[in-house]
Amino acid sequence: MEHSSSVMYLSACNCGHKQGTREDPFTIRTANYDFYQIMANDCVCGCLDRINFPVFQPSTQDYRAAQLFAKPPVIAGRKNSAGLLHTPTQMGHTQVLSLGGVFASCHSVDPINEILGETSRNRELPDRQGLTSVELINMQKNEDTISGNQIVIRVTDTDGDTKEKSLVRQPSTTEYLPGMLHTESPNSLLPQFPSWSLVCLGSSCLYSHNIGLQETQHPGFLNSTAYLLPWDVTVRLEHHPRDRYWNSDRNKINSSPIQRGRKTKGSREFSVKIFIGVEYECPRGHRFMCSAPDKILTTAGSGIVKENGNKVSNSDMPLYFPCPCSSAPLMAQLMRIHVVTPKAPVHITLNPMVQPDENGGPIFVTGFDTPIELTQSTYWVLRLPYVYAGDRGPYLPPKEPSQNQGKLLKGVYSVAEATTDNNKLNV
């Protein structure tokens, strides 16, 4: 008989086009994979181009979970200050660790049952005095200097034959990682299923900065928060004798309407505009974007976004943020990253790393050895894990804004030279 806590939540699918109710999860697979697979059956998620994350590929029918032991030993049922539930179990049993009940206890009310009886749903932003800033415990200060609206990134083009070849480690084909992939996981093990998702919604023209995200395509967003942030990046290209790709596209750089370049001796410099969005989602299904680590994105009365993506791209972003849908503290979780790439001979790259305990502990990663390259002039949505579970159990959402909130580490976004192949893209 399956476990049930009778608590229901409202969550969006991988791409964010459809919302559905979900039960309080009792396993990592249910939380991070099965629910989104079910939602994809009734959404366009299953038909979209996507990038597949590294997972275990068995070479025999006699495969098994790797036997890993948590160190140091811990006491059953005891929580630390980060909200981590310790259980003295082998890592091989983590997948059947109950997330229900304990996960639901982080919310003082049943999020869905409380609002299903309402005759109308008011998504107007209430007075957010005291809610637009969050006290982040031991949050590292951003050491990068932001100058105006531009960040200079040097892109050096070299011939593929001259690139240093790194040692590629082959993952095990007989044993899989029973939990989630993080920086303390053995190098030779991969999980059975991905906890992340990265899908391409289509062309970059799907997003209009004058209109923002429409309710019909992205339901659940609070008023005036459904916009992406423009991020202007100056790319300085240092030319080399083997600069074949860039020389062939030189006219493309000069003629593109979204780049204005200038030549300097031995280099080329031009600007590209990228749109990024950091989306949070609360258990009631309310969604909103943040424009800074301590601020929800808002627009002027005319719907104009006056802020840019500098703070979001150059700062650690909190994993949890108070949702303004209620006066009672209800924490929303960072669930999606939106990226609209420019029409330029460069690739925007993503390298997300999440640390649920900002005081230390493992950093959860995607499993790729290098940053993920996104195709040009397209709209991408990265869905983050719903639950984070380490060797000793799941990290629980904070009940109060002042508690440990975790963070998405800065350095997620970057720019790389354009290549003609992308072997990670699947249809």
Side-chain angles (χ1 to χ4, degrees):
M1 181 177 179
E2 294 185 356
H3 297 282
S4 176
S5 64
S6 300
V7 177
M8 302 292 289
Y9 303 115
L10 187 63
S11 296
C13 61
N14 284 327
C15 67
H17 282 177
K18 186 178 179 62
Q19 288 181 302
T21 56
R22 65 186 303 168
E23 294 184 354
D24 188 35
F26 274 78
T27 66
I28 302 173
R29 185 184 182 101
T30 300
N32 294 341
Y33 182 74
D34 289 345
F35 168 78
Y36 297 101
Q37 290 296 103
I38 295 173
M39 290 291 292
N41 294 332
D42 297 326
C43 183
V44 297
C45 294
C47 304
L48 296 175
D49 290 350
R50 65 190 181 276
I51 290 180
N52 290 331
F53 290 83
V55 292
F56 171 71
Q57 300 292 341
S59 60
T60 175
Q61 294 183 351
D62 189 24
Y63 61 88
R64 62 178 183 176
Q67 298 299 308
L68 306 177
F69 294 87
K71 295 181 180 181
V74 292
I75 301 175
R78 177 175 297 178
K79 299 179 188 176
N80 62 13
S81 59
L84 176 63
L85 178 65
H86 295 307
T87 53
T89 177
Q90 292 181 358
M91 186 57 183
H93 297 159
T94 301
Q95 279 188 292
V96 295
L97 178 65
S98 172
L99 303 179
V102 177
F103 192 70
S105 68
C106 296
H107 306 290
S108 58
V109 295
D110 186 336
I112 298 304
N113 293 336
E114 182 183 271
I115 63 174
L116 286 180
E118 296 180 1
T119 57
S120 63
R121 189 175 190 174
N122 183 10
R123 288 195 176 119
E124 293 287 344
L125 280 174
D127 182 10
R128 294 194 308 276
Q129 184 176 3
L131 288 179
T132 56
S133 62
V134 181
E135 181 181 2
L136 303 179
I137 307 300
N138 294 330
M139 195 68 167
Q140 294 180 348
K141 294 183 178 180
N142 180 20
E143 298 178 354
D144 291 350
T145 301
I146 300 175
S147 176
N149 295 330
Q150 294 185 338
I151 300 175
V152 177
I153 299 177
R154 289 182 174 85
V155 180
T156 304
D157 184 71
T158 57
D159 189 273
D161 296 335
T162 63
K163 292 182 178 179
E164 181 180 355
K165 295 182 179 180
S166 59
L167 178 63
V168 178
R169 298 183 180 180
Q170 296 297 328
S172 173
T173 58
T174 58
E175 291 186 331
Y176 61 85
L177 182 69
M180 294 178 63
L181 197 62
H182 53 75
T183 51
E184 298 177 8
S185 301
N187 293 330
S188 59
L189 298 179
L190 290 175
Q192 277 191 303
F193 56 89
S195 292
W196 309 70
S197 168
L198 182 56
V199 295
C200 179
L201 301 187
S203 171
S204 59
C205 64
L206 290 175
Y207 177 73
S208 170
H209 197 48
N210 295 327
I211 301 175
L213 305 180
Q214 297 299 293
E215 173 72 15
T216 55
Q217 296 296 321
H218 300 270
F221 272 94
L222 299 173
N223 287 346
S224 75
T225 69
Y227 289 84
L228 306 184
L229 294 169
W231 183 36
D232 293 322
V233 179
T234 298
V235 179
R236 180 176 298 129
L237 172 65
E238 298 178 354
H239 291 282
H240 286 259
R242 297 177 179 179
D243 193 6
R244 294 176 298 182
Y245 179 82
W246 286 85
N247 287 338
S248 64
D249 278 19
R250 183 172 299 175
N251 294 331
K252 182 178 179 180
I253 296 175
N254 293 333
S255 61
S256 176
I258 61 173
Q259 302 108 22
R260 294 179 177 85
R262 64 179 182 180
K263 292 182 180 180
T264 58
K265 187 175 181 180
S267 66
R268 178 184 297 274
E269 186 176 293
F270 58 95
S271 178
V272 296
K273 184 180 291 293
I274 307 163
F275 289 94
I276 56 178
V278 180
E279 177 194 330
Y280 290 79
E281 183 179 45
C282 87
R284 293 175 176 171
H286 298 132
R287 304 162 67 186
F288 56 88
M289 300 286 188
C290 277
S291 59
D294 58 351
K295 187 178 181 181
I296 296 178
L297 185 150
T298 56
T299 59
S302 57
I304 299 176
V305 178
K306 296 183 178 180
E307 298 165 294
N308 57 58
N310 285 342
K311 292 183 179 179
V312 167
S313 60
N314 290 277
S315 305
D316 293 336
M317 293 297 292
L319 186 57
Y320 299 96
F321 198 97
C323 183
C325 66
S326 173
S327 57
L330 188 63
M331 301 301 290
Q333 181 176 339
L334 198 165
M335 285 303 304
R336 288 169 196 83
I337 293 176
H338 300 243
V339 180
V340 178
T341 63
K343 186 179 181 181
V346 293
H347 280 310
I348 308 305
T349 66
L350 294 179
N351 188 27
M353 295 185 291
V354 177
Q355 190 171 35
D357 183 0
E358 61 186 31
N359 295 320
I363 298 173
F364 290 82
V365 295
T366 62
F368 288 116
D369 295 329
T370 58
I372 306 170
E373 294 184 353
L374 306 181
T375 52
Q376 302 153 335
S377 189
T378 46
Y379 188 157
W380 289 86
V381 176
L382 172 70
R383 194 265 303 162
L384 280 68
Y386 185 72
V387 168
Y388 296 89
D391 295 0
R392 296 175 295 177
Y395 290 86
L396 305 179
K399 294 182 180 180
E400 301 289 340
S402 60
Q403 293 179 342
N404 193 329
Q405 297 178 4
K407 55 190 175 183
L408 172 71
L409 301 180
K410 64 181 178 181
V412 177
Y413 322 92
S414 188
V415 177
E417 60 178 313
T419 55
T420 56
D421 60 337
N422 191 337
N423 54 13
K424 299 173 186 174
L425 184 63
N426 293 272
V427 180

